[in-house]
Amino acid sequence: ANYGSSMSLPYATIKYACSQATSGTIIMVGPGTFTEQLPIVVPANVAIVGSGNRLTFVQPAAGLSDDTITPNANATMWKMSDGSVITEMAFQGMTGWVPGGTPGDITTSTPAGIYVAFNSGAITKTPNVFRCSVLNSTGAIGAYLDGSLHASGLRSMAFHYYNIQAADGVGIWAANNARPEL
C-alpha cells in the first residue's frame, strides 16, 4: 500500500507507475535498465523523469504486447497523451519495421517497432520528449505521429535533444497531418 510514495519505496515498473498517476504527477525513475510490458501509456499532464539518458534505460520485455498478438519489441513503447512529458532516458530493443513494396514511399510500409507515438484523445497541450536517446536500434521507428488519432486539436509533439540511432529504420514519421516540433 505504501509503494510509489517515495524513492525508497518505488513501484516495480514504469508502466504500473503510469497506471497509478493522475494529472500533475511526476514519476521519478532511478538509474538502471527497466524491462517493460508494452505499450506504456503516459497519462495526460504526467511527467516521467529519468536519471539521465546514459543512466536510465527502457526496453521491451520478451513475449507479446498487451494486444496479445504483436511481439512486444514490434509494438509501441511510449503512447504520449495530452501534455505528457518524458525526459532523461534512453530507449532500446525495439524492432520490426521493414520498408514497404514501393522503394522511396514510406506509406507502403506498416509502422512497427515504435519508440514514441500519440495516445488517442485530443491533443490541446503538446506532449514533449526531451533529452532522450534511442540506442542502437535496427528496423525501428524513433517516433510515429499519426494525426488521424485526433479529430481535432494540435496533432503535434515536441522533440528537444532526441537522438535516434536507428539503422535500417526511421527517425520521425509524421502521417495524416501530424506536426512534429523538432
Side-chain angles (χ1 to χ4, degrees):
N2 293 325
Y3 282 90
S5 61
S6 70
M7 291 295 283
S8 62
L9 291 170
Y11 289 128
T13 67
I14 300 168
K15 182 178 179 109
Y16 185 76
C18 284
S19 75
Q20 301 303 301
T22 58
S23 182
T25 299
I26 299 172
I27 299 170
M28 304 298 293
V29 182
T33 300
F34 297 83
T35 303
E36 298 279 338
Q37 178 64 27
L38 302 180
I40 302 169
V41 177
V42 184
N45 303 304
V46 167
I48 302 175
V49 180
S51 294
N53 68 3
R54 294 293 186 248
L55 296 171
T56 302
F57 302 91
V58 182
Q59 64 190 22
L64 299 177
S65 70
D66 285 355
D67 71 6
T68 69
I69 298 168
T70 307
N72 221 20
N74 298 162
T76 299
M77 182 174 284
W78 301 100
K79 289 192 175 186
M80 302 294 287
S81 302
D82 190 45
S84 59
V85 174
I86 52 177
T87 186
E88 296 293 340
M89 291 183 277
F91 318 133
Q92 58 194 15
M94 300 300 287
T95 190
W97 179 81
V98 293
T102 305
D105 184 359
I106 197 168
T107 64
T108 63
S109 64
T110 302
I114 301 165
Y115 284 99
V116 178
F118 287 133
N119 190 22
S120 58
I123 298 292
T124 59
K125 188 163 56 168
T126 301
N128 280 263
V129 177
F130 66 98
R131 296 183 57 93
C132 290
S133 297
V134 169
L135 303 176
N136 304 319
S137 288
T138 301
I141 300 172
Y144 177 67
L145 306 181
D146 182 358
S148 70
L149 291 176
H150 310 287
S152 64
L154 299 176
R155 296 183 183 138
S156 68
M157 189 177 299
F159 299 90
H160 311 277
Y161 308 106
Y162 184 44
N163 303 308
I164 303 168
Q165 299 170 353
D168 299 322
V170 177
I172 296 183
W173 179 356
N176 302 309
N177 295 314
R179 297 175 182 96
E181 299 174 29
L182 307 171

